[in-house]
Amino acid sequence: MDEIDFYRARAREWLAEHAPRTDIETDLEASRDFQARLHAAGFAGITWPADYGGQGLAAQHERAFRDEAMRYPLPAVPFAIGIGMAGPVLMDLGTEEQRRRYLPPILRGEEIWCQLFSEPDAGSDVASLQTRAVREADGWVVTGQKVWASRAHFAERGILVARTDPGRPKHSGLTMFVVDMRAAGIDVRPLRDMTGNVHFNEVYFDGVRLPPDAVVGRVDEGWSAALTMLKHERVAIGTRNRSEATPLSARALALRQASPMSPEVHAALGRLAVEERAVALLAARMAEERAAGAELGARGSVAKLASSQLARNAADLAVSLAADRGIGFEADDRQTAELITAIDWTPASGIAGGTTEVQRNIIAERVLGLPKEPQSDRDVPFNRLTVGSIKR
Ligand SMILES: Cc1cc2nc3c(=O)[nH]c(=O)nc-3n(C[C@H](O)[C@H](O)[C@H](O)COP(=O)(O)OP(=O)(O)OC[C@H]3O[C@@H](n4cnc5c(N)ncnc54)[C@H](O)[C@@H]3O)c2cc1C
């Protein structure tokens, strides 16, 4: 048995004993507790440097763990922004002090992070954001509104991008900050989505004070920091381990069918299983490349697009399989309730982390080398641009 096989066997054994069998993601304390135990057992931050709380192991170790973990519904969502986006951006751009301070508690599940980019007038075009951070003698003062901030209602920290120099064109004059979500002047207002759950929030900043060392990267160079984080986001979403336990997996949908299945249903489930496997292999390959330090660049958009397309196809199939019960079919048991929630959540996967159209633009321009979309406002100072009839 080589070292990777040994690690795999240890992961299998540990998961068999400790992994949850049902979804515990909605129970935050149980999720944090599991993440702490995962870390203590050596299975969190597998390729992160040991100095920052990681295990300092190789991409192959990560792959072995992912393969084993596929069978269980591990609570990943609460930690997804910290582990998949904030941690990597701090590793890329943070100071040594920031890395040592912020990275270990992410892996132990002690500090949950949110991303504070989108605003009512800045989504796909996030560089249009208007939240201001004004420099003062002892740091910065932030005022403005963010929206769709996932998990901000329980996050301890956030990564914020704010405008620090409105006299510059919109892609300049932005700065990235670390925010303590408990700071005075932050008002988090949960939004209920169409599944009936609270996932994201409006976040209002009213004169929130940030210390000078809250800046991530360089002042006024927040656009390239934001692009770095968005790139990590696409890779994190695209390479997410899609558990076989999800209600929209081909296996779970097959188990819901009466036996024997019609040839058409059999074939449709087979096609979904093949697509699942292809997306899982693409995700595993990219996760391994990333863990080995490769620059995935715009290819992360391919993985993100493939995973949201898979979710869409699975949800469409689930609805068509339930068609004899009507499109508004109702839950009469827990599994059906979870399936309905998963179907209702599916449109979000084509929006969160950049919409399907935006991913296609990125792939067209940066992977296929097609001509760039025109940007007439690119070099105009932000404070001379107008939104509708309103001057900024
Ligand atoms: C579940 C979920 C979680 C989210 N979590 C967060 C979070 O934690 N933090 C955060 O900051 N944001 C978050 N968001 C916001 C998300 O990033 C934005 O919703 C997304 O970028 C789209 O922006 P928008 O909603 O303003 O739509 P718009 O940008 O207004 O887009 C409207 C439509 O126009 C299309 N469109 C826009 N520009 C182009 C273009 N150039 N070419 C072709 N089509 C275009 C879009 O594809 C879309 O169909 C989340 C969103 C969802 C759904």
Side-chain angles (χ1 to χ4, degrees), residues 89-90 98 102 113-114 116-117 131-135 139-142 157-164 173-180 205 209-220 222 225 229:
V89 87
L90 289 169
Q98 286 172 331
Y102 296 124
W113 288 63
C114 65
L116 302 155
F117 281 24
T131 294
R132 285 295 315 273
V134 177
R135 200 196 288 254
W140 300 84
V141 178
V142 180
R157 311 220 169 257
I159 291 268
L160 167 79
V161 179
R163 191 163 298 279
T164 37
L174 300 171
T175 302
M176 180 177 275
F177 299 93
V178 170
V179 175
D180 175 351
F205 290 81
R209 309 196 78 86
L210 301 179
D213 63 5
V215 172
V216 179
R218 291 170 188 273
V219 172
D220 291 336
M229 185 149 164

Side-chain angles (χ1 to χ4, degrees), residues 81 85 114-126 146-151 199-200 233 345 347-358 361 373:
I81 293 181
M85 298 159 61
C114 65
Q115 177 197 30
L116 302 155
F117 281 24
S118 301
E119 297 184 4
D121 279 321
S124 302
D125 182 17
V126 72
K146 296 289 173 179
V147 71
W148 315 127
S150 304
R151 308 183 262 293
H199 171 93
F200 40 41
E233 178 172 26
W345 181 251
S349 66
I351 304 173
T355 66
T356 295
E357 291 76 13
V358 166
N361 279 351
E373 209 183 354

Side-chain angles (χ1 to χ4, degrees), residues 106-376:
I106 290 178
L107 293 178
R108 295 195 297 261
E110 289 163 7
E111 292 187 353
I112 289 176
W113 288 63
C114 65
Q115 177 197 30
L116 302 155
F117 281 24
S118 301
E119 297 184 4
D121 279 321
S124 302
D125 182 17
V126 72
S128 288
L129 61 87
Q130 299 181 63
T131 294
R132 285 295 315 273
V134 177
R135 200 196 288 254
E136 301 222 327
D138 56 348
W140 300 84
V141 178
V142 180
T143 303
Q145 182 198 348
K146 296 289 173 179
V147 71
W148 315 127
S150 304
R151 308 183 262 293
H153 50 305
F154 52 72
E156 276 83 18
R157 311 220 169 257
I159 291 268
L160 167 79
V161 179
R163 191 163 298 279
T164 37
D165 185 352
R168 295 195 192 197
K170 69 177 187 179
H171 293 91
S172 327
L174 300 171
T175 302
M176 180 177 275
F177 299 93
V178 170
V179 175
D180 175 351
M181 293 300 289
R182 311 278 189 262
I186 296 184
D187 181 11
V188 178
R189 299 185 195 170
L191 296 165
R192 203 163 285 281
D193 62 53
M194 73 178 179
T195 66
N197 298 323
V198 170
H199 171 93
F200 40 41
N201 305 264
E202 294 178 303
V203 181
Y204 290 83
F205 290 81
D206 183 9
V208 177
R209 309 196 78 86
L210 301 179
D213 63 5
V215 172
V216 179
R218 291 170 188 273
V219 172
D220 291 336
E221 292 186 13
W223 180 240
S224 90
L227 289 181
T228 302
M229 185 149 164
L230 291 171
K231 187 185 68 186
H232 286 303
E233 178 172 26
R234 294 191 291 264
V235 173
I237 295 174
T239 61
R240 187 179 289 161
N241 227 10
R242 197 167 177 276
S243 155
E244 288 166 5
T246 161
L248 284 176
S249 71
R251 184 169 181 277
L253 291 177
L255 287 173
R256 292 180 63 81
Q257 302 315 304
S259 175
M261 282 182 223
S262 73
E264 292 76 22
V265 170
H266 208 260
L269 286 165
R271 278 194 298 275
L272 183 66
V274 168
E275 195 182 339
E276 254 173 21
R277 186 78 188 125
V279 170
L281 287 173
L282 177 68
R285 190 171 79 191
M286 288 205 184
E288 200 166 321
E289 283 184 50
R290 185 188 50 174
E295 180 52 60
L296 294 177
R299 281 199 300 141
S301 290
V302 178
K304 202 257 156 179
L305 186 62
S307 87
S308 59
Q309 202 60 55
L310 169 63
R312 178 76 273 160
N313 293 345
D316 287 351
L317 180 59
V319 171
S320 73
L321 291 175
D324 59 337
R325 298 171 59 196
I327 52 167
F329 69 104
E330 291 196 354
D332 38 26
D333 58 77
R334 184 168 160 211
Q335 273 88 2
T336 306
E338 286 174 0
L339 177 63
I340 293 172
T341 301
I343 292 170
D344 286 349
W345 181 251
T346 301
S349 66
I351 304 173
T355 66
T356 295
E357 291 76 13
V358 166
Q359 303 311 324
R360 289 191 198 282
N361 279 351
I362 295 171
I363 294 166
E365 293 178 10
R366 294 190 225 149
V367 180
L368 303 176
L370 296 177
K372 281 198 186 313
E373 209 183 354
Q375 285 186 334
S376 55

